[in-house]
Amino acid sequence: MTAAAIAVPFVWLAWLILTEWVPMFPLNDLAPGNLRNRLIAASVNYPIPLLIAGGVALHRTWSLVAATVLCCLIVAGHVQSWWLPYFGVSSAAQRELYRTDYARTLKVLPTEGRDVVIDVQHMVVGVLSVVMLATTLTATLTG
C-alpha cells in the first residue's frame, strides 16, 4: 500500500497540471483572464502532493502523520471550495470565481437554482483527494 500512497499524489498532481494548463473545453475553461488565478493555485497546490509523497516515502511516524494531515486538509479544502457552495454555503468571492472561471465547464450535477456547481474536472480532483487520503491513511496505520 505504500507504493500506492506514494503514486496517488503524483496522479493527483498530474491531473491538476493537465486540467489547469492544457485546453480541453468544456472540461476546463482556460480563458486568458484566469491565468493569474491558475498561477496562484499552482504555487499553492503543486508542492502539497510532493510533500505527501515524500512523507510517505520517508516512512517515519512523524512524516506519515504529516502526510495524513495534509491529505485531510486537501479533502477539507475541496469540500469547502465545491460541496458546501453547491449546497448553498458560499461566499461572494466563491460565486464570482465560479462565474468567471467555471460557469462554462462540463457538469453532471443539476445546476438549476445553484450559485456554484462542481464541474467534472473538480469531481475527479475530489475522488483523487479521497483516494489519496485513504492510501496515505492506510500506509500510516500499517506502517
Side-chain angles (χ1 to χ4, degrees), residues 103-126:
R104 299 180 335 129
T105 57
L106 182 63
K107 293 158 191 72
V108 294
L109 293 177
T111 60
E112 190 174 326
R114 308 284 181 177
D115 292 328
V116 175
V117 179
I118 187 168
D119 57 10
V120 171
Q121 72 173 344
H122 288 95
M123 290 180 111
V124 172
V125 170

Side-chain angles (χ1 to χ4, degrees), residues 13-74:
L13 177 59
W15 178 256
L16 288 185
I17 292 169
L18 178 68
T19 59
E20 290 173 356
W21 300 105
V22 177
M24 297 179 288
F25 187 79
L27 182 64
N28 59 11
D29 187 4
L30 303 184
N34 66 15
L35 178 60
R36 182 176 183 276
N37 288 341
R38 289 187 286 138
L39 289 170
I40 291 169
S43 67
V44 171
N45 292 326
Y46 292 3
I48 296 172
L50 302 176
L51 292 170
I52 292 168
V56 174
L58 190 57
H59 208 73
R60 303 281 188 256
T61 301
W62 67 268
S63 68
L64 291 166
V65 169
T68 302
V69 168
L70 286 174
C71 288
C72 288
L73 291 173
I74 286 173

